[in-house]
Every structure is written in C-alpha cells, then in structure tokens.
Amino acid sequence: MNIVLIGIQGSGKGTLVASLTKEMEFEVISTGQLCRDEIATGSALGKHIKEVILKGNLVETDTVLKMIAKKLKSQKENYVFDGFPRSLEQAKAMKKVCDVDLAVYLNLSKEVAIERLVNRLTCSKCGNVFSKLKVKSDICPVCKGKLEQRFDDNLENKFKQFEVFFRDTLPLIDYYKKQNVLVEVDANQTPENVAKLVMRAINEHNYKK
Ligand SMILES: [Zn+2]
C-alpha cells in the first residue's frame, strides 16, 4: 500500500510518519532524505542534486523519481511518501513508478500553521520539536536538554513556502479526489489525534478491499 501525505509544515506530518512506521510497519520515502543520502555517496547524481539545491531550486521530477524507483526495489509492502508529489505535474509523473492507494490531506488553516511555527521550540540536544504553548519551561521533556527557538526557521522563508504550498500543492487535492483515494483530516487538532484518525482511515481502506 502506497500513501502520499499532503500538508504544510505544522500540520502534524512528523508525528503521523512516526506512528505509521512504529505501529503499522510503513517504510518512509522522504524525498528530502533521499536527496541528502545521494549527496552523501558523492556520486555524480549526488553532486548534481547538491548544485541544484545550493542554487535554491527544486530537484527535477525525473531525478526524484529515479531515486524513488531505486528505493521501491527494497520491496516492502507499505510505503508512505513524505515530500512528494508537491505538484500536479509530479503526481502525474509518479504514476510511471507506482500507484497511490491513499492520499492523506492534513488540512490546517494558514493561521494555525503560522501560530505553531512562531511557537516552535527545538531541543538543542535530541532535536525533538515542541510547542511553547505546551512546554512551559526551556527544558526538554524527553532528554532534559535546552529548548530553543530556532530561526534558521527563517520566518519570511517559511511564509514563502506556505504560499507555494497553497499555489502548487493544493491542486493535488482535486486530482486525488477524482481518483477516489483522498482522505481529508482536520489538522487543527493535536498531532496525536490526527495520527489516530489517519490510521483508522487506513484500516477502513484495507477492510473495504
Ligand atoms: Zn531533548
């Protein structure tokens, strides 16, 4: 079963991916990670990807698909795609490599997304992310490291990413709706609840089959 995730930063994708890998034996295909891995090998393809990213451009669809195809050869049963497809063009191209059984749209309002972003605390030791609204001190509840607000999370950049998301990624919703594989979840609730709802939808989907 192949699942694609559609949602802006702050919509709970990280928690959802963690639940799917831990509780439902999904393997994650994160295109960001695939790019970093390829760069680390020092291959010609990796050098090319690094150049593209350094210029601030998106890696070409064909290049990403090649890496995805390679990863799919590991022949696991369940895959969840994080970071791909990001546009209609990419969704159509993806068909060459694999089918999509379920497209999960984590629907978060722009206002809440911005609020979560502004209140984001990152642990300097373990890297976990928390909300300032929930953790009332600057000590990590997981490892007792120091929590800090990171603004490599450059806000202006993030706002730009939000605009791009609403422009390029939202058309995917209609596309998958027409194919009858769309599941929409209200992501304004806690990430834990979102993950529960999505896992329930996956089970229902499998039951119907
Ligand atoms: Zn920590």
Side-chain angles (χ1 to χ4, degrees):
M1 173 181 212
N2 298 322
I3 298 182
V4 302
L5 297 182
I6 307 166
I8 39 179
Q9 193 189 340
S11 61
K13 272 198 292 186
T15 305
L16 175 58
V17 166
S19 302
L20 290 178
T21 50
K22 268 185 224 140
E23 294 171 42
M24 296 187 98
E25 295 183 350
F26 272 85
E27 180 165 359
V28 189
I29 299 189
S30 149
T31 44
Q33 193 57 49
L34 286 180
C35 287
R36 287 188 290 275
D37 290 348
E38 191 65 47
I39 291 170
T41 65
S43 68
L45 181 62
K47 283 186 184 122
H48 165 76
I49 292 171
K50 193 173 173 183
E51 240 168 65
V52 173
I53 292 175
L54 281 178
K55 282 185 194 146
N57 294 322
L58 284 178
V59 180
E60 310 85 1
T61 299
D62 278 347
T63 306
V64 177
L65 279 177
K66 252 184 238 161
M67 290 189 288
I68 290 177
K70 215 157 99 189
K71 184 93 183 168
L72 285 171
K73 280 195 190 134
S74 64
Q75 302 271 352
K76 293 273 165 48
E77 248 175 72
N78 299 313
Y79 290 100
V80 55
F81 290 83
D82 184 11
F84 192 90
R86 281 187 199 267
S87 65
L88 207 48
E89 178 234 336
Q90 290 189 341
K92 286 177 181 165
M94 191 179 181
K95 276 189 168 168
K96 285 183 258 171
V97 180
C98 65
D99 289 323
V100 170
D101 299 291
L102 219 54
V104 175
Y105 174 36
L106 303 178
N107 190 355
L108 184 69
S109 66
K110 211 193 266 182
E111 293 70 31
V112 176
I114 290 169
E115 191 192 294
R116 287 187 181 172
L117 186 64
V118 170
N119 288 303
R120 223 164 106 98
L121 290 174
T122 310
C123 175
S124 55
K125 211 166 142 196
C126 71
N128 269 308
V129 174
F130 304 94
S131 167
K132 223 196 271 181
L133 305 174
K134 279 196 204 155
V135 184
K136 301 289 180 196
S137 73
D138 62 352
I139 295 168
C140 172
V142 176
C143 77
K144 306 266 183 267
K146 190 167 164 31
L147 296 178
E148 46 197 31
Q149 192 147 24
R150 272 192 199 160
F151 282 113
D152 50 61
D153 284 3
N154 182 317
L155 279 185
E156 208 171 313
N157 247 336
K158 292 293 174 196
F159 292 151
K160 222 180 275 168
Q161 282 176 19
F162 285 173
E163 297 303 330
V164 172
F165 175 84
F166 285 106
R167 188 189 67 212
D168 294 348
T169 313
L170 275 190
L172 287 177
I173 310 298
D174 270 341
Y175 176 76
Y176 285 122
K177 205 181 262 175
K178 278 184 195 138
Q179 297 186 25
N180 240 341
V181 294
L182 186 79
V183 173
E184 185 171 334
V185 176
D186 177 6
N188 296 293
Q189 47 192 326
T190 67
E192 291 75 21
N193 263 346
V194 169
K196 257 184 229 155
L197 287 174
V198 172
M199 286 193 282
R200 197 184 300 159
I202 293 169
N203 283 331
E204 274 168 21
H205 174 89
N206 287 336
Y207 181 71
K208 268 188 234 155
K209 263 201 309 195

